Amino acid sequence: MKRFIMGLGVITLAIGSMLAANGTAELIGALIIGFITGLVFLGNMSMRLWRAASLSAGNAKRQMLWGLVLRLLVLFIVLFAAVQISTQVFSMVALGFVLCYAWAMVLMIRMNSAK
């Protein structure tokens, strides 16, 4: 978790400095909203996997499908709200989500391949 948070901090600093250099520092908030959406997405997925591990096969499948629907619904709502504001905000929210999700996957793959 420490590596994950530090990585997100470095990503925020790098992208935030580029945004500040371009004069669009107000988009840093949109980037952070994208990170929060990614964290909700990952948290829901982790919770559903944890629950599914202790259930029977049919119930586990239902748990995972329900979790997928909830995750996609959250993503749709956040991205729809962002696109209503502007395309720049939408782009930053989507970038924040993708970077958060990709960084989490890289760390998970790295942790599992080290074992």
mmCIF file of all heavy atoms in Angstrom, residues 50-102:
data_model
loop_
_atom_site.group_PDB
_atom_site.id
_atom_site.type_symbol
_atom_site.label_atom_id
_atom_site.label_comp_id
_atom_site.label_asym_id
_atom_site.label_seq_id
_atom_site.Cartn_x
_atom_site.Cartn_y
_atom_site.Cartn_z
ATOM 1 N N TRP A 50 -12.710 -11.067 -2.215
ATOM 2 C CA TRP A 50 -12.600 -11.587 -0.852
ATOM 3 C C TRP A 50 -13.863 -12.360 -0.470
ATOM 4 O O TRP A 50 -13.794 -13.446 0.089
ATOM 5 C CB TRP A 50 -12.361 -10.428 0.109
ATOM 6 C CG TRP A 50 -12.070 -10.854 1.499
ATOM 7 C CD1 TRP A 50 -12.966 -11.006 2.517
ATOM 8 C CD2 TRP A 50 -10.807 -11.217 2.033
ATOM 9 N NE1 TRP A 50 -12.334 -11.416 3.648
ATOM 10 C CE2 TRP A 50 -10.997 -11.550 3.383
ATOM 11 C CE3 TRP A 50 -9.518 -11.267 1.508
ATOM 12 C CZ2 TRP A 50 -9.966 -11.941 4.215
ATOM 13 C CZ3 TRP A 50 -8.487 -11.648 2.331
ATOM 14 C CH2 TRP A 50 -8.714 -11.988 3.665
ATOM 15 N N ARG A 51 -15.017 -11.770 -0.785
ATOM 16 C CA ARG A 51 -16.286 -12.438 -0.483
ATOM 17 C C ARG A 51 -16.469 -13.700 -1.325
ATOM 18 O O ARG A 51 -16.957 -14.714 -0.845
ATOM 19 C CB ARG A 51 -17.457 -11.507 -0.735
ATOM 20 C CG ARG A 51 -17.643 -10.471 0.316
ATOM 21 C CD ARG A 51 -18.903 -9.692 0.028
ATOM 22 N NE ARG A 51 -19.043 -8.573 0.932
ATOM 23 C CZ ARG A 51 -19.933 -7.618 0.772
ATOM 24 N NH1 ARG A 51 -20.754 -7.655 -0.263
ATOM 25 N NH2 ARG A 51 -20.020 -6.637 1.630
ATOM 26 N N ALA A 52 -16.103 -13.622 -2.606
ATOM 27 C CA ALA A 52 -16.306 -14.757 -3.512
ATOM 28 C C ALA A 52 -15.439 -15.945 -3.120
ATOM 29 O O ALA A 52 -15.797 -17.094 -3.391
ATOM 30 C CB ALA A 52 -16.008 -14.347 -4.945
ATOM 31 N N ALA A 53 -14.317 -15.684 -2.482
ATOM 32 C CA ALA A 53 -13.420 -16.769 -2.093
ATOM 33 C C ALA A 53 -14.048 -17.681 -1.052
ATOM 34 O O ALA A 53 -13.685 -18.852 -0.953
ATOM 35 C CB ALA A 53 -12.116 -16.193 -1.557
ATOM 36 N N SER A 54 -14.997 -17.173 -0.284
ATOM 37 C CA SER A 54 -15.604 -17.978 0.768
ATOM 38 C C SER A 54 -16.991 -18.518 0.388
ATOM 39 O O SER A 54 -17.646 -19.142 1.202
ATOM 40 C CB SER A 54 -15.716 -17.161 2.048
ATOM 41 O OG SER A 54 -16.586 -16.067 1.851
ATOM 42 N N LEU A 55 -17.426 -18.289 -0.858
ATOM 43 C CA LEU A 55 -18.757 -18.723 -1.287
ATOM 44 C C LEU A 55 -18.677 -19.931 -2.208
ATOM 45 O O LEU A 55 -17.613 -20.277 -2.716
ATOM 46 C CB LEU A 55 -19.464 -17.572 -2.023
ATOM 47 C CG LEU A 55 -19.740 -16.314 -1.211
ATOM 48 C CD1 LEU A 55 -20.303 -15.243 -2.118
ATOM 49 C CD2 LEU A 55 -20.699 -16.603 -0.069
ATOM 50 N N SER A 56 -19.821 -20.550 -2.437
ATOM 51 C CA SER A 56 -19.887 -21.655 -3.396
ATOM 52 C C SER A 56 -19.744 -21.089 -4.812
ATOM 53 O O SER A 56 -19.820 -19.879 -5.025
ATOM 54 C CB SER A 56 -21.201 -22.398 -3.248
ATOM 55 O OG SER A 56 -22.275 -21.541 -3.601
ATOM 56 N N ALA A 57 -19.563 -21.963 -5.791
ATOM 57 C CA ALA A 57 -19.275 -21.533 -7.166
ATOM 58 C C ALA A 57 -20.386 -20.654 -7.745
ATOM 59 O O ALA A 57 -20.106 -19.625 -8.357
ATOM 60 C CB ALA A 57 -19.044 -22.741 -8.055
ATOM 61 N N GLY A 58 -21.638 -21.033 -7.573
ATOM 62 C CA GLY A 58 -22.742 -20.240 -8.121
ATOM 63 C C GLY A 58 -22.865 -18.881 -7.470
ATOM 64 O O GLY A 58 -23.075 -17.869 -8.138
ATOM 65 N N ASN A 59 -22.740 -18.867 -6.144
ATOM 66 C CA ASN A 59 -22.820 -17.594 -5.428
ATOM 67 C C ASN A 59 -21.616 -16.711 -5.713
ATOM 68 O O ASN A 59 -21.740 -15.493 -5.753
ATOM 69 C CB ASN A 59 -22.949 -17.838 -3.924
ATOM 70 C CG ASN A 59 -24.305 -18.403 -3.557
ATOM 71 O OD1 ASN A 59 -25.274 -18.226 -4.291
ATOM 72 N ND2 ASN A 59 -24.376 -19.101 -2.436
ATOM 73 N N ALA A 60 -20.453 -17.322 -5.895
ATOM 74 C CA ALA A 60 -19.249 -16.545 -6.200
ATOM 75 C C ALA A 60 -19.376 -15.877 -7.561
ATOM 76 O O ALA A 60 -18.994 -14.713 -7.730
ATOM 77 C CB ALA A 60 -18.017 -17.448 -6.160
ATOM 78 N N LYS A 61 -19.926 -16.599 -8.519
ATOM 79 C CA LYS A 61 -20.121 -16.025 -9.851
ATOM 80 C C LYS A 61 -21.076 -14.843 -9.787
ATOM 81 O O LYS A 61 -20.833 -13.800 -10.380
ATOM 82 C CB LYS A 61 -20.652 -17.091 -10.806
ATOM 83 C CG LYS A 61 -20.833 -16.600 -12.212
ATOM 84 C CD LYS A 61 -21.332 -17.700 -13.117
ATOM 85 C CE LYS A 61 -21.555 -17.169 -14.520
ATOM 86 N NZ LYS A 61 -22.064 -18.208 -15.409
ATOM 87 N N ARG A 62 -22.179 -15.004 -9.046
ATOM 88 C CA ARG A 62 -23.151 -13.922 -8.900
ATOM 89 C C ARG A 62 -22.511 -12.714 -8.199
ATOM 90 O O ARG A 62 -22.734 -11.574 -8.589
ATOM 91 C CB ARG A 62 -24.365 -14.415 -8.129
ATOM 92 C CG ARG A 62 -25.465 -13.394 -8.056
ATOM 93 C CD ARG A 62 -26.754 -13.898 -7.445
ATOM 94 N NE ARG A 62 -26.529 -14.598 -6.189
ATOM 95 C CZ ARG A 62 -26.984 -15.828 -5.944
ATOM 96 N NH1 ARG A 62 -27.665 -16.481 -6.849
ATOM 97 N NH2 ARG A 62 -26.749 -16.401 -4.778
ATOM 98 N N GLN A 63 -21.697 -12.978 -7.179
ATOM 99 C CA GLN A 63 -21.005 -11.904 -6.458
ATOM 100 C C GLN A 63 -20.080 -11.111 -7.391
ATOM 101 O O GLN A 63 -20.057 -9.891 -7.375
ATOM 102 C CB GLN A 63 -20.196 -12.522 -5.314
ATOM 103 C CG GLN A 63 -19.495 -11.547 -4.425
ATOM 104 C CD GLN A 63 -20.424 -10.833 -3.492
ATOM 105 O OE1 GLN A 63 -20.501 -9.628 -3.555
ATOM 106 N NE2 GLN A 63 -21.127 -11.541 -2.634
ATOM 107 N N MET A 64 -19.352 -11.823 -8.238
ATOM 108 C CA MET A 64 -18.429 -11.158 -9.156
ATOM 109 C C MET A 64 -19.170 -10.391 -10.249
ATOM 110 O O MET A 64 -18.766 -9.284 -10.613
ATOM 111 C CB MET A 64 -17.467 -12.174 -9.779
ATOM 112 C CG MET A 64 -16.487 -12.765 -8.782
ATOM 113 S SD MET A 64 -15.541 -11.525 -7.851
ATOM 114 C CE MET A 64 -14.616 -10.740 -9.139
ATOM 115 N N LEU A 65 -20.246 -10.942 -10.773
ATOM 116 C CA LEU A 65 -21.016 -10.239 -11.800
ATOM 117 C C LEU A 65 -21.675 -8.989 -11.234
ATOM 118 O O LEU A 65 -21.705 -7.939 -11.880
ATOM 119 C CB LEU A 65 -22.060 -11.164 -12.416
ATOM 120 C CG LEU A 65 -21.513 -12.266 -13.326
ATOM 121 C CD1 LEU A 65 -22.634 -13.188 -13.770
ATOM 122 C CD2 LEU A 65 -20.793 -11.678 -14.513
ATOM 123 N N TRP A 66 -22.210 -9.079 -10.032
ATOM 124 C CA TRP A 66 -22.820 -7.922 -9.387
ATOM 125 C C TRP A 66 -21.760 -6.843 -9.132
ATOM 126 O O TRP A 66 -22.009 -5.660 -9.323
ATOM 127 C CB TRP A 66 -23.500 -8.354 -8.101
ATOM 128 C CG TRP A 66 -24.208 -7.262 -7.381
ATOM 129 C CD1 TRP A 66 -23.923 -6.799 -6.144
ATOM 130 C CD2 TRP A 66 -25.311 -6.473 -7.845
ATOM 131 N NE1 TRP A 66 -24.776 -5.791 -5.801
ATOM 132 C CE2 TRP A 66 -25.637 -5.565 -6.839
ATOM 133 C CE3 TRP A 66 -26.037 -6.451 -9.021
ATOM 134 C CZ2 TRP A 66 -26.668 -4.640 -6.976
ATOM 135 C CZ3 TRP A 66 -27.061 -5.522 -9.147
ATOM 136 C CH2 TRP A 66 -27.369 -4.645 -8.141
ATOM 137 N N GLY A 67 -20.580 -7.258 -8.718
ATOM 138 C CA GLY A 67 -19.491 -6.304 -8.506
ATOM 139 C C GLY A 67 -19.077 -5.619 -9.790
ATOM 140 O O GLY A 67 -18.798 -4.418 -9.808
ATOM 141 N N LEU A 68 -19.046 -6.376 -10.888
ATOM 142 C CA LEU A 68 -18.695 -5.782 -12.178
ATOM 143 C C LEU A 68 -19.709 -4.727 -12.577
ATOM 144 O O LEU A 68 -19.339 -3.637 -13.029
ATOM 145 C CB LEU A 68 -18.611 -6.878 -13.245
ATOM 146 C CG LEU A 68 -18.359 -6.390 -14.673
ATOM 147 C CD1 LEU A 68 -16.997 -5.728 -14.768
ATOM 148 C CD2 LEU A 68 -18.483 -7.533 -15.646
ATOM 149 N N VAL A 69 -20.979 -5.016 -12.384
ATOM 150 C CA VAL A 69 -22.028 -4.051 -12.721
ATOM 151 C C VAL A 69 -21.872 -2.788 -11.878
ATOM 152 O O VAL A 69 -21.945 -1.667 -12.393
ATOM 153 C CB VAL A 69 -23.428 -4.682 -12.534
ATOM 154 C CG1 VAL A 69 -24.517 -3.632 -12.601
ATOM 155 C CG2 VAL A 69 -23.651 -5.766 -13.557
ATOM 156 N N LEU A 70 -21.631 -2.944 -10.595
ATOM 157 C CA LEU A 70 -21.453 -1.775 -9.720
ATOM 158 C C LEU A 70 -20.227 -0.953 -10.115
ATOM 159 O O LEU A 70 -20.286 0.279 -10.141
ATOM 160 C CB LEU A 70 -21.331 -2.221 -8.259
ATOM 161 C CG LEU A 70 -22.612 -2.724 -7.608
ATOM 162 C CD1 LEU A 70 -22.324 -3.229 -6.203
ATOM 163 C CD2 LEU A 70 -23.660 -1.637 -7.593
ATOM 164 N N ARG A 71 -19.125 -1.624 -10.411
ATOM 165 C CA ARG A 71 -17.908 -0.903 -10.802
ATOM 166 C C ARG A 71 -18.122 -0.123 -12.093
ATOM 167 O O ARG A 71 -17.737 1.045 -12.208
ATOM 168 C CB ARG A 71 -16.734 -1.872 -10.956
ATOM 169 C CG ARG A 71 -16.220 -2.394 -9.642
ATOM 170 C CD ARG A 71 -14.912 -3.146 -9.801
ATOM 171 N NE ARG A 71 -14.934 -4.219 -10.770
ATOM 172 C CZ ARG A 71 -15.272 -5.476 -10.516
ATOM 173 N NH1 ARG A 71 -15.652 -5.809 -9.298
ATOM 174 N NH2 ARG A 71 -15.236 -6.392 -11.462
ATOM 175 N N LEU A 72 -18.718 -0.764 -13.088
ATOM 176 C CA LEU A 72 -18.951 -0.075 -14.354
ATOM 177 C C LEU A 72 -19.949 1.063 -14.201
ATOM 178 O O LEU A 72 -19.812 2.097 -14.860
ATOM 179 C CB LEU A 72 -19.418 -1.075 -15.410
ATOM 180 C CG LEU A 72 -18.362 -2.079 -15.862
ATOM 181 C CD1 LEU A 72 -18.962 -3.063 -16.842
ATOM 182 C CD2 LEU A 72 -17.156 -1.386 -16.455
ATOM 183 N N LEU A 73 -20.917 0.909 -13.318
ATOM 184 C CA LEU A 73 -21.885 1.975 -13.069
ATOM 185 C C LEU A 73 -21.204 3.190 -12.430
ATOM 186 O O LEU A 73 -21.445 4.329 -12.849
ATOM 187 C CB LEU A 73 -23.021 1.468 -12.186
ATOM 188 C CG LEU A 73 -24.162 2.442 -11.917
ATOM 189 C CD1 LEU A 73 -24.878 2.765 -13.229
ATOM 190 C CD2 LEU A 73 -25.127 1.849 -10.925
ATOM 191 N N VAL A 74 -20.350 2.946 -11.455
ATOM 192 C CA VAL A 74 -19.608 4.048 -10.826
ATOM 193 C C VAL A 74 -18.733 4.754 -11.857
ATOM 194 O O VAL A 74 -18.701 5.987 -11.931
ATOM 195 C CB VAL A 74 -18.754 3.532 -9.646
ATOM 196 C CG1 VAL A 74 -17.735 4.562 -9.203
ATOM 197 C CG2 VAL A 74 -19.650 3.146 -8.485
ATOM 198 N N LEU A 75 -18.035 3.978 -12.672
ATOM 199 C CA LEU A 75 -17.174 4.565 -13.695
ATOM 200 C C LEU A 75 -17.994 5.390 -14.689
ATOM 201 O O LEU A 75 -17.611 6.507 -15.046
ATOM 202 C CB LEU A 75 -16.399 3.465 -14.414
ATOM 203 C CG LEU A 75 -15.399 3.922 -15.464
ATOM 204 C CD1 LEU A 75 -14.325 4.791 -14.832
ATOM 205 C CD2 LEU A 75 -14.773 2.718 -16.143
ATOM 206 N N PHE A 76 -19.132 4.865 -15.118
ATOM 207 C CA PHE A 76 -19.984 5.586 -16.054
ATOM 208 C C PHE A 76 -20.477 6.896 -15.453
ATOM 209 O O PHE A 76 -20.447 7.934 -16.121
ATOM 210 C CB PHE A 76 -21.171 4.719 -16.469
ATOM 211 C CG PHE A 76 -22.164 5.445 -17.325
ATOM 212 C CD1 PHE A 76 -21.892 5.697 -18.658
ATOM 213 C CD2 PHE A 76 -23.360 5.909 -16.789
ATOM 214 C CE1 PHE A 76 -22.799 6.385 -19.446
ATOM 215 C CE2 PHE A 76 -24.275 6.589 -17.564
ATOM 216 C CZ PHE A 76 -23.998 6.833 -18.909
ATOM 217 N N ILE A 77 -20.926 6.867 -14.213
ATOM 218 C CA ILE A 77 -21.451 8.085 -13.578
ATOM 219 C C ILE A 77 -20.377 9.156 -13.470
ATOM 220 O O ILE A 77 -20.608 10.322 -13.797
ATOM 221 C CB ILE A 77 -22.060 7.753 -12.196
ATOM 222 C CG1 ILE A 77 -23.343 6.951 -12.371
ATOM 223 C CG2 ILE A 77 -22.320 9.014 -11.390
ATOM 224 C CD1 ILE A 77 -23.886 6.360 -11.086
ATOM 225 N N VAL A 78 -19.192 8.760 -13.033
ATOM 226 C CA VAL A 78 -18.112 9.741 -12.869
ATOM 227 C C VAL A 78 -17.683 10.304 -14.219
ATOM 228 O O VAL A 78 -17.518 11.517 -14.373
ATOM 229 C CB VAL A 78 -16.922 9.114 -12.117
ATOM 230 C CG1 VAL A 78 -15.712 10.012 -12.150
ATOM 231 C CG2 VAL A 78 -17.311 8.800 -10.683
ATOM 232 N N LEU A 79 -17.502 9.439 -15.202
ATOM 233 C CA LEU A 79 -17.073 9.928 -16.518
ATOM 234 C C LEU A 79 -18.168 10.741 -17.205
ATOM 235 O O LEU A 79 -17.875 11.727 -17.888
ATOM 236 C CB LEU A 79 -16.631 8.760 -17.403
ATOM 237 C CG LEU A 79 -15.350 8.054 -16.967
ATOM 238 C CD1 LEU A 79 -15.047 6.896 -17.898
ATOM 239 C CD2 LEU A 79 -14.178 9.006 -16.886
ATOM 240 N N PHE A 80 -19.428 10.376 -17.008
ATOM 241 C CA PHE A 80 -20.521 11.150 -17.578
ATOM 242 C C PHE A 80 -20.581 12.548 -16.962
ATOM 243 O O PHE A 80 -20.767 13.536 -17.672
ATOM 244 C CB PHE A 80 -21.858 10.422 -17.383
ATOM 245 C CG PHE A 80 -23.017 11.121 -18.024
ATOM 246 C CD1 PHE A 80 -23.186 11.071 -19.392
ATOM 247 C CD2 PHE A 80 -23.918 11.837 -17.260
ATOM 248 C CE1 PHE A 80 -24.254 11.726 -19.999
ATOM 249 C CE2 PHE A 80 -24.979 12.490 -17.846
ATOM 250 C CZ PHE A 80 -25.155 12.440 -19.225
ATOM 251 N N ALA A 81 -20.398 12.625 -15.649
ATOM 252 C CA ALA A 81 -20.385 13.937 -14.990
ATOM 253 C C ALA A 81 -19.200 14.771 -15.482
ATOM 254 O O ALA A 81 -19.341 15.981 -15.702
ATOM 255 C CB ALA A 81 -20.325 13.767 -13.480
ATOM 256 N N ALA A 82 -18.061 14.128 -15.671
ATOM 257 C CA ALA A 82 -16.871 14.859 -16.125
ATOM 258 C C ALA A 82 -17.049 15.379 -17.541
ATOM 259 O O ALA A 82 -16.646 16.502 -17.857
ATOM 260 C CB ALA A 82 -15.643 13.961 -16.037
ATOM 261 N N VAL A 83 -17.652 14.587 -18.417
ATOM 262 C CA VAL A 83 -17.832 15.036 -19.797
ATOM 263 C C VAL A 83 -18.851 16.167 -19.887
ATOM 264 O O VAL A 83 -18.794 16.987 -20.808
ATOM 265 C CB VAL A 83 -18.183 13.854 -20.734
ATOM 266 C CG1 VAL A 83 -19.643 13.489 -20.667
ATOM 267 C CG2 VAL A 83 -17.760 14.149 -22.158
ATOM 268 N N GLN A 84 -19.768 16.243 -18.928
ATOM 269 C CA GLN A 84 -20.722 17.350 -18.898
ATOM 270 C C GLN A 84 -20.027 18.667 -18.558
ATOM 271 O O GLN A 84 -20.496 19.725 -18.967
ATOM 272 C CB GLN A 84 -21.843 17.073 -17.889
ATOM 273 C CG GLN A 84 -22.691 15.871 -18.216
ATOM 274 C CD GLN A 84 -23.374 15.984 -19.557
ATOM 275 O OE1 GLN A 84 -23.927 17.021 -19.898
ATOM 276 N NE2 GLN A 84 -23.325 14.912 -20.329
ATOM 277 N N ILE A 85 -18.921 18.601 -17.842
ATOM 278 C CA ILE A 85 -18.187 19.811 -17.472
ATOM 279 C C ILE A 85 -17.377 20.307 -18.662
ATOM 280 O O ILE A 85 -17.532 21.439 -19.100
ATOM 281 C CB ILE A 85 -17.294 19.547 -16.240
ATOM 282 C CG1 ILE A 85 -18.176 19.188 -15.043
ATOM 283 C CG2 ILE A 85 -16.413 20.752 -15.937
ATOM 284 C CD1 ILE A 85 -17.429 18.658 -13.855
ATOM 285 N N SER A 86 -16.470 19.451 -19.149
ATOM 286 C CA SER A 86 -15.688 19.790 -20.348
ATOM 287 C C SER A 86 -14.905 18.569 -20.790
ATOM 288 O O SER A 86 -14.728 17.611 -20.033
ATOM 289 C CB SER A 86 -14.735 20.963 -20.084
ATOM 290 O OG SER A 86 -13.633 20.545 -19.309
ATOM 291 N N THR A 87 -14.410 18.638 -22.005
ATOM 292 C CA THR A 87 -13.621 17.510 -22.510
ATOM 293 C C THR A 87 -12.271 17.434 -21.819
ATOM 294 O O THR A 87 -11.727 16.340 -21.659
ATOM 295 C CB THR A 87 -13.425 17.608 -24.027
ATOM 296 O OG1 THR A 87 -12.829 18.861 -24.339
ATOM 297 C CG2 THR A 87 -14.732 17.457 -24.757
ATOM 298 N N GLN A 88 -11.730 18.568 -21.394
ATOM 299 C CA GLN A 88 -10.454 18.547 -20.668
ATOM 300 C C GLN A 88 -10.615 17.861 -19.315
ATOM 301 O O GLN A 88 -9.767 17.067 -18.915
ATOM 302 C CB GLN A 88 -9.922 19.960 -20.461
ATOM 303 C CG GLN A 88 -9.373 20.596 -21.707
ATOM 304 C CD GLN A 88 -8.849 21.983 -21.417
ATOM 305 O OE1 GLN A 88 -9.376 22.688 -20.563
ATOM 306 N NE2 GLN A 88 -7.810 22.367 -22.136
ATOM 307 N N VAL A 89 -11.688 18.160 -18.622
ATOM 308 C CA VAL A 89 -11.949 17.523 -17.327
ATOM 309 C C VAL A 89 -12.153 16.029 -17.537
ATOM 310 O O VAL A 89 -11.624 15.207 -16.792
ATOM 311 C CB VAL A 89 -13.157 18.171 -16.617
ATOM 312 C CG1 VAL A 89 -13.565 17.379 -15.394
ATOM 313 C CG2 VAL A 89 -12.843 19.607 -16.241
ATOM 314 N N PHE A 90 -12.931 15.664 -18.556
ATOM 315 C CA PHE A 90 -13.135 14.252 -18.863
ATOM 316 C C PHE A 90 -11.798 13.554 -19.124
ATOM 317 O O PHE A 90 -11.554 12.461 -18.619
ATOM 318 C CB PHE A 90 -14.053 14.097 -20.086
ATOM 319 C CG PHE A 90 -14.129 12.687 -20.583
ATOM 320 C CD1 PHE A 90 -14.927 11.763 -19.946
ATOM 321 C CD2 PHE A 90 -13.410 12.287 -21.694
ATOM 322 C CE1 PHE A 90 -15.008 10.450 -20.397
ATOM 323 C CE2 PHE A 90 -13.473 10.990 -22.152
ATOM 324 C CZ PHE A 90 -14.276 10.074 -21.508
ATOM 325 N N SER A 91 -10.949 14.186 -19.917
ATOM 326 C CA SER A 91 -9.652 13.590 -20.243
ATOM 327 C C SER A 91 -8.805 13.384 -18.994
ATOM 328 O O SER A 91 -8.154 12.342 -18.842
ATOM 329 C CB SER A 91 -8.897 14.472 -21.239
ATOM 330 O OG SER A 91 -9.612 14.573 -22.437
ATOM 331 N N MET A 92 -8.806 14.351 -18.096
ATOM 332 C CA MET A 92 -7.989 14.223 -16.885
ATOM 333 C C MET A 92 -8.562 13.174 -15.933
ATOM 334 O O MET A 92 -7.805 12.430 -15.305
ATOM 335 C CB MET A 92 -7.869 15.575 -16.171
ATOM 336 C CG MET A 92 -7.005 16.569 -16.917
ATOM 337 S SD MET A 92 -5.395 15.943 -17.429
ATOM 338 C CE MET A 92 -4.635 15.575 -15.885
ATOM 339 N N VAL A 93 -9.888 13.102 -15.812
ATOM 340 C CA VAL A 93 -10.499 12.080 -14.954
ATOM 341 C C VAL A 93 -10.197 10.693 -15.517
ATOM 342 O O VAL A 93 -9.808 9.783 -14.779
ATOM 343 C CB VAL A 93 -12.025 12.305 -14.812
ATOM 344 C CG1 VAL A 93 -12.690 11.131 -14.139
ATOM 345 C CG2 VAL A 93 -12.303 13.583 -14.032
ATOM 346 N N ALA A 94 -10.347 10.536 -16.830
ATOM 347 C CA ALA A 94 -10.055 9.244 -17.453
ATOM 348 C C ALA A 94 -8.578 8.892 -17.304
ATOM 349 O O ALA A 94 -8.234 7.738 -17.010
ATOM 350 C CB ALA A 94 -10.453 9.269 -18.925
ATOM 351 N N LEU A 95 -7.698 9.870 -17.474
ATOM 352 C CA LEU A 95 -6.260 9.621 -17.306
ATOM 353 C C LEU A 95 -5.953 9.222 -15.870
ATOM 354 O O LEU A 95 -5.186 8.278 -15.626
ATOM 355 C CB LEU A 95 -5.455 10.863 -17.692
ATOM 356 C CG LEU A 95 -3.942 10.745 -17.539
ATOM 357 C CD1 LEU A 95 -3.384 9.727 -18.523
ATOM 358 C CD2 LEU A 95 -3.287 12.101 -17.732
ATOM 359 N N GLY A 96 -6.540 9.913 -14.907
ATOM 360 C CA GLY A 96 -6.327 9.568 -13.505
ATOM 361 C C GLY A 96 -6.803 8.164 -13.194
ATOM 362 O O GLY A 96 -6.116 7.401 -12.505
ATOM 363 N N PHE A 97 -7.965 7.786 -13.716
ATOM 364 C CA PHE A 97 -8.479 6.433 -13.497
ATOM 365 C C PHE A 97 -7.545 5.391 -14.102
ATOM 366 O O PHE A 97 -7.186 4.406 -13.448
ATOM 367 C CB PHE A 97 -9.883 6.295 -14.089
ATOM 368 C CG PHE A 97 -10.394 4.888 -14.054
ATOM 369 C CD1 PHE A 97 -10.895 4.371 -12.880
ATOM 370 C CD2 PHE A 97 -10.343 4.086 -15.175
ATOM 371 C CE1 PHE A 97 -11.348 3.054 -12.823
ATOM 372 C CE2 PHE A 97 -10.803 2.788 -15.134
ATOM 373 C CZ PHE A 97 -11.299 2.269 -13.954
ATOM 374 N N VAL A 98 -7.155 5.589 -15.344
ATOM 375 C CA VAL A 98 -6.300 4.618 -16.031
ATOM 376 C C VAL A 98 -4.942 4.495 -15.344
ATOM 377 O O VAL A 98 -4.431 3.385 -15.156
ATOM 378 C CB VAL A 98 -6.140 4.993 -17.526
ATOM 379 C CG1 VAL A 98 -5.039 4.190 -18.195
ATOM 380 C CG2 VAL A 98 -7.457 4.799 -18.252
ATOM 381 N N LEU A 99 -4.358 5.618 -14.942
ATOM 382 C CA LEU A 99 -3.058 5.561 -14.273
ATOM 383 C C LEU A 99 -3.146 4.871 -12.915
ATOM 384 O O LEU A 99 -2.271 4.076 -12.559
ATOM 385 C CB LEU A 99 -2.483 6.969 -14.111
ATOM 386 C CG LEU A 99 -1.980 7.623 -15.389
ATOM 387 C CD1 LEU A 99 -1.575 9.062 -15.114
ATOM 388 C CD2 LEU A 99 -0.845 6.843 -16.004
ATOM 389 N N CYS A 100 -4.201 5.154 -12.162
ATOM 390 C CA CYS A 100 -4.384 4.506 -10.866
ATOM 391 C C CYS A 100 -4.562 3.008 -11.034
ATOM 392 O O CYS A 100 -3.923 2.206 -10.340
ATOM 393 C CB CYS A 100 -5.594 5.113 -10.152
ATOM 394 S SG CYS A 100 -5.953 4.388 -8.556
ATOM 395 N N TYR A 101 -5.411 2.613 -11.955
ATOM 396 C CA TYR A 101 -5.680 1.189 -12.188
ATOM 397 C C TYR A 101 -4.429 0.484 -12.723
ATOM 398 O O TYR A 101 -4.078 -0.611 -12.272
ATOM 399 C CB TYR A 101 -6.843 1.048 -13.169
ATOM 400 C CG TYR A 101 -7.397 -0.344 -13.244
ATOM 401 C CD1 TYR A 101 -8.239 -0.819 -12.250
ATOM 402 C CD2 TYR A 101 -7.087 -1.185 -14.303
ATOM 403 C CE1 TYR A 101 -8.762 -2.093 -12.309
ATOM 404 C CE2 TYR A 101 -7.600 -2.462 -14.366
ATOM 405 C CZ TYR A 101 -8.433 -2.914 -13.374
ATOM 406 O OH TYR A 101 -8.945 -4.182 -13.430
ATOM 407 N N ALA A 102 -3.742 1.118 -13.678
ATOM 408 C CA ALA A 102 -2.535 0.513 -14.251
ATOM 409 C C ALA A 102 -1.439 0.375 -13.198
ATOM 410 O O ALA A 102 -0.744 -0.652 -13.146
ATOM 411 C CB ALA A 102 -2.046 1.344 -15.432
#
